[in-house]
Amino acid sequence: MFVAFEEAKQAKRWDEQRKCYIDPQGNPIVDSKSVYFNAFLDVIPTAGELYSKKKDDKNFVAQMEKRIKEVLLASLKKKEEEAIDENVEMMVEKLKKTTKEAVMTEKTKVKTQTESSKSSNNDESIGNNDEIYT
């Protein structure tokens, strides 16, 4: 699994739609670091189980390989979901920050306008006082 992933990585076979590397046949390749090994180990039979079931059931190996692929793909989907969750959290934090900055900007704007209107009111009253004394 590690070798196949490294080969796909070196060959730069990245599938943008599925967000993973692919093998030459177009199948997703999962990085061994992203596999949930407990789930993976649950579908791997012991050596004794493999040989006895392989002898009794001709389709056992094919079914086992199918289950292994499903676990690997489920691991890939789980990692995608985690990445999406992280992106959503980052977006929420960015939105909070932007909103806070916008509120602060609006408060500053209102404060500046208020001070400006107070200043212009004072200027008017000073101008009126000049006329009275003249």
Side-chain angles (χ1 to χ4, degrees), residues 28-130:
I29 300 289
V30 180
D31 183 6
S32 59
K33 296 174 189 165
S34 67
V35 174
Y36 295 95
F37 281 101
N38 289 339
F40 185 67
L41 291 175
D42 288 343
V43 297
I44 304 291
T46 62
E49 184 181 10
L50 175 65
Y51 291 121
S52 66
K53 289 192 177 185
K54 185 177 165 183
K55 203 182 254 189
D56 296 339
D57 184 2
K58 301 290 182 200
N59 295 323
F60 180 75
V61 173
Q63 291 171 348
M64 180 188 66
E65 289 174 352
K66 182 181 176 185
R67 287 192 309 266
I68 291 171
K69 285 181 182 179
E70 288 171 354
V71 168
L72 294 176
L73 290 176
S75 293
L76 181 62
K77 289 176 185 174
K78 181 98 171 150
K79 286 293 181 184
E80 286 178 4
E81 290 170 2
E82 289 173 358
I84 289 170
D85 289 343
E86 288 175 13
N87 286 340
V88 168
E89 287 174 14
M90 283 192 327
M91 290 170 61
V92 167
E93 289 302 316
K94 188 175 180 180
L95 181 60
K96 284 180 183 178
K97 183 179 176 184
T98 305
T99 304
K100 186 176 181 179
E101 289 172 357
V103 167
M104 294 303 290
T105 302
E106 190 61 33
K107 283 182 180 179
T108 305
K109 188 176 178 182
V110 168
K111 185 178 179 181
T112 305
Q113 288 175 347
T114 304
E115 289 173 355
S116 175
S117 63
K118 282 182 183 178
S119 174
S120 67
N121 285 343
N122 286 341
D123 290 346
E124 287 176 10
S125 63
I126 291 172
N128 290 340
N129 288 340
D130 287 343

